Amino acid sequence: LTLEERLAAYVVEGSKEGLIPDLELARAKYSPLEIINGPLMKGMEEVGRLFNNNELIVAEVLQSAEVMKASVAHLEQFMEKNETSVKGKIMLATVKGDVHDIGKNLVEIILANNGYQIVNLGIKVPPERIIESYRAEKVDAIGLSGLLVKSAQQMVLTAQDLRNAGIDVPIMVGGAALTRKFTKTRIRPEYSGMVVYAKDAMDGLDIANKLMN
Ligand code: B1M
C-alpha cells in the first residue's frame, strides 16, 4: 500500500499500530490539514459507506473514530498558529440527540489556533443549555454541529429557541447532513440574527473572520 492508502486503512480498520510513524512520514509531504482532509477523511468516508451497508458495527466505527481522534491529536501540535490578539469568543455545540464530535472538535482546533476563544459545550447539547451558557459567557457567535439527518431539524428548533430567548448573535452551522440550501430555506427564517453554513473547518474559520470584522 502507498502511504496515503495506509493512512486511510488505519481509519477503516480502526488500528493504531504504525499510525504515528506513518503520520510523521506524511508530514514530510503534506500539511497537517491536508493529511486530515485527504487520506484520513477518505478512510472515514469508507467507514461511513461500510457502516451504511451493514459491513461494520457501531463498536468498529467507534474504533475508527478513535484512530481519527488520535491522528488529529498528534497533528494538532504541528498546525499553523496565528496567535494575534483574541479575535472573538465562539461557542460550539453538537446539537441535542447527536454524539458526533470529531468535526466539531476539528473546528475548535482551527479556530483556537487562529485567535478565537472557544467555549465547547460538547455533544447532545439541548437548546436550554446553549441559552444558559450564552448568557453566562457572552459569546460573539454560536456554532452548531450535527451529522444526523434529524440534527438538521434539531438546528431549526434550536434557532427558534434562541430567537425566543432574545438571542441574535450570528449562528454558524455545519455537519454532513446539512446543506447550504437547508440552512437558507429552513434555519435562517426561524432566527433573527445571521445564520451561515460552513462546509468544513477551514470554511468555518473564513466565516468567523468575516463575522468578526
Ligand atoms: Co455515526 N453516523 N452514528 N457514528 N458516523 C454517520 C454520520 C452516518 C452518515 C453513517 C452512515 O450510516 N453512513 C449515519 C447518519 C445517517 C443519517 O442520519 N443520515 C450515522 C449513524 C446512523 C449513527 C448512529 C445512529 C448509529 C447507531 O447507533 N445505530 C449513531 C448515532 C448516535 C447519536 O448521535 N445519537 C452513530 C454513532 C457513531 C459513533 C459514536 C460510532 C461515531 C462517532 C464518534 C465521535 O464523533 N466521537 C460515528 C462515526 C465516526 C460516523 C462517521 C463514520 C464519520 C463521522 C466523522 O467523524 N467524520 C459518519 C459517516 C461519515 O460522515 N462518513 C457517521 C469525520 C469528521 C472530521 O467529519 O464530522 O463531517 P465531519 O465534520 C466536517 C464537516 O461536516 C464540517 O467540518 C468537518 C471537517 O472539516 N463540520 C463543521 C462539522 N461540524 C461543523 C460545525 C461548524 C463548521 C463545520 O461550525 C459550527
Side-chain angles (χ1 to χ4, degrees):
L1 297 185
T2 64
L3 174 61
E4 291 77 6
E5 288 166 342
R6 288 204 301 277
L7 287 170
Y10 289 116
V11 176
V12 176
E13 284 157 22
S15 150
K16 290 183 199 164
E17 238 187 277
L19 172 68
I20 302 295
D22 271 349
L23 285 175
E24 284 303 294
L25 284 178
R27 279 211 311 115
K29 283 169 83 176
Y30 306 107
S31 73
L33 261 190
E34 282 169 341
I35 302 171
I36 295 171
N37 291 334
L40 295 176
M41 272 306 259
K42 212 166 167 195
M44 251 328 182
E45 275 155 28
E46 177 66 1
V47 170
R49 195 188 66 78
L50 292 170
F51 185 47
N52 212 18
N53 293 346
N54 295 318
E55 289 174 57
L56 287 180
I57 58 170
V58 172
E60 291 168 321
V61 180
L62 212 47
Q63 282 190 308
S64 297
E66 284 305 316
V67 173
M68 189 71 168
K69 286 190 169 191
S71 306
V72 172
H74 176 74
L75 293 170
E76 184 181 354
Q77 60 189 309
F78 306 110
M79 285 185 193
E80 227 173 281
K81 290 186 182 64
N82 288 308
E83 282 156 319
T84 47
S85 54
V86 176
K87 291 193 219 158
K89 193 171 174 184
I90 300 180
M91 181 185 291
L92 293 176
T94 298
V95 295
K96 182 178 173 184
D98 196 323
V99 304
H100 297 88
D101 66 354
I102 297 176
K104 167 183 65 63
N105 293 343
L106 197 55
V107 173
E108 172 178 20
I109 291 171
I110 304 285
L111 290 177
N113 280 346
N114 287 279
Y116 289 94
Q117 196 184 338
I118 303 298
V119 179
N120 190 339
L121 298 185
I123 58 171
K124 298 201 273 184
V125 186
E128 311 85 79
R129 259 192 63 213
I130 299 178
I131 292 166
E132 217 172 87
S133 308
Y134 171 79
R135 289 184 176 141
E137 302 278 355
K138 295 278 178 293
V139 293
D140 302 301
I142 297 171
L144 302 177
S145 177
L147 263 68
L148 302 171
V149 165
K150 69 171 187 190
S151 299
Q153 192 53 41
Q154 183 56 46
M155 288 184 189
V156 175
L157 300 176
T158 303
Q160 287 170 343
D161 285 353
L162 290 172
R163 180 196 59 204
N164 293 340
I167 296 170
D168 63 0
V169 289
I171 297 180
M172 175 159 77
V173 293
L178 207 65
T179 60
R180 197 175 296 282
K181 187 169 171 220
F182 185 91
T183 305
K184 192 174 158 202
T185 59
R186 301 289 310 283
I187 308 178
R188 200 168 291 160
E190 303 302 328
Y191 191 62
S192 19
M194 228 190 278
V195 182
V196 202
Y197 169 78
K199 74 173 183 334
D200 58 31
M202 280 313 282
D203 196 27
L205 174 62
D206 280 346
I207 288 167
N209 286 339
K210 281 182 193 132
L211 290 177
M212 298 303 146
N213 263 322

